[in-house]
Amino acid sequence: MIGSLSVLGAGLAFGLGAIGPALGIGMIGGKTIESMARQPEMAGRLQTTMFIALALAEAIALLGFVLAFVLMGVK
Amino acid sequence: MEGLGDKVTVLLEELASKPVFPGGLSTYMLFLLVAFVLTLTFFVVASRKVSLVPKGIGNVAEMGIEFVRDSMLVDVIGPEGKQYLPFVGTIFFFVLFNNLLGLIPGFKPGTGTMGTTVTWAIMVFIVYNAIGIKRHGAWGYLKSFWPKGVAAPLAAFVALLEIISHFIRPLTLSIRLFANMFAGHVILGIFGIFTVMLWNASLAGKAIALLPLAMQIIMYAFEVFVAFIQAYVFAILTTVYINGAVHAGDH
């Protein structure tokens, strides 16, 4: 019983935890494209900043991923 | 779909680190060593014949190093960032070779285990703090955590947050690289399991099995992209942390 509940918890932890970062990554990408279209000469700097922001948003989703594996191990 | 859980368990056990030789060398240590030899060979061969107009492998190596120097270090830190090229460049290429090595069927990335990435992240943590202390002095660097022109209770709170965020950096830096490489391999494996199970299930299953197979090919291409992006992200975050230490206190 605990085993199957922990698998369910793992799925929920990753699924729900991925919603926020997914929205964040979408916003970061969209806003970067908007800014690049407005100021194409800044494209290089914007891209660097975009990757840093993407990495920070992605880390939150990956924390959920690691948590899911920890929860799956609960017997 | 009976037995899917068992197959996934087998897949995860396959990705766990196991001793290869008696005496402590594990799977991931072996592939780290292979990636180390590959990186070394690549640069030794590339720098053997240095000419004004590089060609072939030397050209690729020069492009990569110029990319790290110009679009990472100089763009983020400024002209003085060039002195950190040996450290950041080594990190970028070693992570990249490790990530790419894992994409060869039967191989595993040295970065696909927590042990490797935590070690590197702690190394980055020590190096950027050492740079900060060297440039500003121990007291000057410590003082840069305290924001100027703010009431003392608020400043104390901000300083506490800053210090906590500094200690979270190695954690997120290591988990990001490890989880990306690990998740990529699990996804490729799971689509492989789907393909084989559908193919063996029934005649109609053979047609449906092409879908996960196509997905696996697409994911493989995506994993090549991820290998480059994660090496870039690891190196650029190292650069950003070094930048924070170099320009500590001027913000």
Side-chain angles (χ1 to χ4, degrees), chain A residues 44-45 47-48 51-52 54-56 58-59 62-63 65-66 69 72, chain B residues 12 71 76 172 175-176 179-180 182-183 229-230 232-233 236-237 240:
Chain A
R45 298 276 312 265
Q47 220 162 26
T48 311
F51 277 119
I52 296 166
L54 279 185
L56 295 178
E58 185 196 45
L62 293 171
L63 288 176
F65 175 80
V66 172
F69 272 94
M72 288 232 311
Chain B
L12 292 181
S71 71
V76 174
T172 54
I175 286 181
R176 179 180 305 110
N180 263 295
F182 180 71
I229 285 289
Q230 286 311 316
Y232 175 73
V233 163
I236 194 89
L237 283 174
V240 169

Side-chain angles (χ1 to χ4, degrees), chain B residues 54-134:
Chain B
K55 50 179 182 281
I57 195 166
N59 203 0
V60 177
E62 196 182 301
M63 256 171 62
I65 287 174
E66 274 183 352
F67 171 72
V68 175
R69 192 189 65 194
D70 297 339
S71 71
M72 287 188 198
L73 290 166
V74 174
D75 266 14
V76 174
I77 305 179
E80 57 187 329
K82 279 181 190 165
Q83 55 180 307
Y84 306 114
L85 179 64
F87 182 62
V88 179
T90 309
I91 283 184
F92 177 73
F93 285 104
F94 196 33
V95 174
L96 181 64
F97 272 81
N98 267 301
N99 292 353
L100 288 175
L101 187 70
L103 289 168
I104 303 168
F107 284 60
K108 292 186 180 68
T111 43
T113 181
M114 279 293 263
T116 314
T117 57
V118 167
T119 313
W120 293 355
I122 290 173
M123 201 170 71
V124 167
F125 181 77
I126 291 171
V127 165
Y128 86 74
N129 280 312
I131 288 171
I133 289 168
K134 201 175 153 197

Side-chain angles (χ1 to χ4, degrees), chain B residues 152-174:
Chain B
L154 187 63
F157 182 63
V158 172
L160 186 68
L161 279 186
E162 276 281 299
I163 288 167
I164 290 172
S165 90
H166 269 260
F167 279 99
I168 290 177
R169 279 173 178 185
L171 186 74
T172 54
L173 194 62
S174 57

Side-chain angles (χ1 to χ4, degrees), chain A residues 9-55:
Chain A
L12 285 175
F14 181 53
L16 294 177
I19 295 173
L23 288 174
I25 289 171
M27 279 179 202
I28 292 163
K31 285 284 175 192
T32 312
I33 294 171
E34 226 169 74
S35 320
M36 278 177 180
R38 192 171 294 172
Q39 269 181 299
E41 69 277 7
M42 286 285 285
R45 298 276 312 265
L46 287 170
Q47 220 162 26
T48 311
T49 320
M50 180 191 78
F51 277 119
I52 296 166
L54 279 185

Side-chain angles (χ1 to χ4, degrees), chain B residues 4-5 30 42 103 130 143 188 208 228 238-239:
Chain B
L4 179 62
L30 178 71
F42 178 76
L103 289 168
K143 223 165 54 181
L188 286 178
I208 306 169
F228 280 95
T238 306
T239 316

